[in-house]
Amino acid sequence: MGFLDHTAYVAFGSNIGDREKHIKNGIGYLQNNPEIEVVRVSGTYVTEPYGYLEQEEFLNGCLELRTNLSPQELLEELLEAEQKENRRRIVHWGPRTLDMDLLLYDDEIIREPNLFVPHMDMHNRHFVLDPLAEIAPDVVHPIIGKTIAQIRDELDQ
């Protein structure tokens, strides 16, 4: 395997069924791809639902990846991991077996119809910022220009 040239951060979450198993399977799917190396995995955080509130609590966390895949190719791998865990998109922000979102890809800013990097609402969500700050506190958000730890700390001020 050659060098994996890009660093990406991915948020994961689950609130249906065996949450730990869905997350473990999703991470395992990514680890099985020779173009992806899972470098770090945050702890999991029990969090309240966001948006649509009539659902169970989530387990959330974040991954640091090294990859040769483009952002679009990585997104396709994340969607495939969700599908392997029978993800159903029925209610916006609704319950899910597995959710994997591309948060950051190097310091790129991408605005395409199906891909927004940095993730467009990550800076407002503790369930993203808390685990991301655990594994990448000094990474700078390419639009806001502050570290993940600074953004997280300022969220409640």
Side-chain angles (χ1 to χ4, degrees):
M1 175 172 33
F3 291 106
L4 300 176
D5 294 330
H6 302 285
T7 300
Y9 293 92
V10 172
F12 59 80
S14 175
N15 78 331
I16 295 177
D18 188 340
R19 301 174 300 176
E20 291 94 348
K21 182 171 179 262
H22 292 306
I23 291 167
K24 182 175 175 270
N25 289 349
I27 294 169
Y29 175 79
L30 297 177
Q31 288 173 319
N32 286 334
N33 185 322
E35 297 295 317
I36 297 172
E37 177 190 358
V38 176
V39 177
R40 277 188 276 198
V41 182
S42 75
T44 53
Y45 294 69
V46 176
T47 62
E48 295 298 318
Y50 182 89
Y52 178 73
L53 302 179
E54 298 300 316
Q55 58 183 321
E56 299 299 316
E57 291 177 325
F58 277 83
L59 283 185
N60 288 105
C62 288
L63 306 171
E64 177 183 338
L65 307 177
R66 297 285 300 159
T67 187
N68 282 329
L69 299 176
S70 71
Q72 196 69 42
E73 290 168 333
L74 182 54
L75 174 64
E76 289 169 17
E77 289 298 306
L78 299 178
L79 294 173
E80 182 68 25
E82 291 178 352
Q83 286 304 311
K84 295 248 187 242
E85 293 304 301
N86 298 310
R87 166 79 188 264
R88 300 287 178 259
R89 296 175 187 272
I90 298 167
V91 177
H92 186 57
W93 287 329
R96 62 215 54 191
T97 54
L98 181 64
D99 186 30
M100 295 188 123
D101 290 325
L102 180 55
L103 301 174
L104 298 166
Y105 185 96
D106 293 334
D107 57 358
E108 290 194 27
I109 298 169
I110 303 165
R111 296 293 181 253
E112 295 176 4
N114 66 335
L115 182 60
F116 270 62
V117 176
H119 191 280
M120 94 175 91
D121 207 26
M122 64 180 276
H123 60 281
N124 293 317
R125 298 176 175 179
H126 267 295
F127 66 87
V128 171
L129 293 173
D130 291 342
L132 187 56
E134 177 190 328
I135 63 171
D138 299 325
V139 169
V140 175
H141 190 291
I143 295 175
I144 297 172
K146 295 180 180 178
T147 67
I148 299 305
Q150 287 173 315
I151 296 167
R152 190 251 347 252
D153 293 345
E154 291 173 3
L155 188 56
D156 290 326
Q157 295 177 0

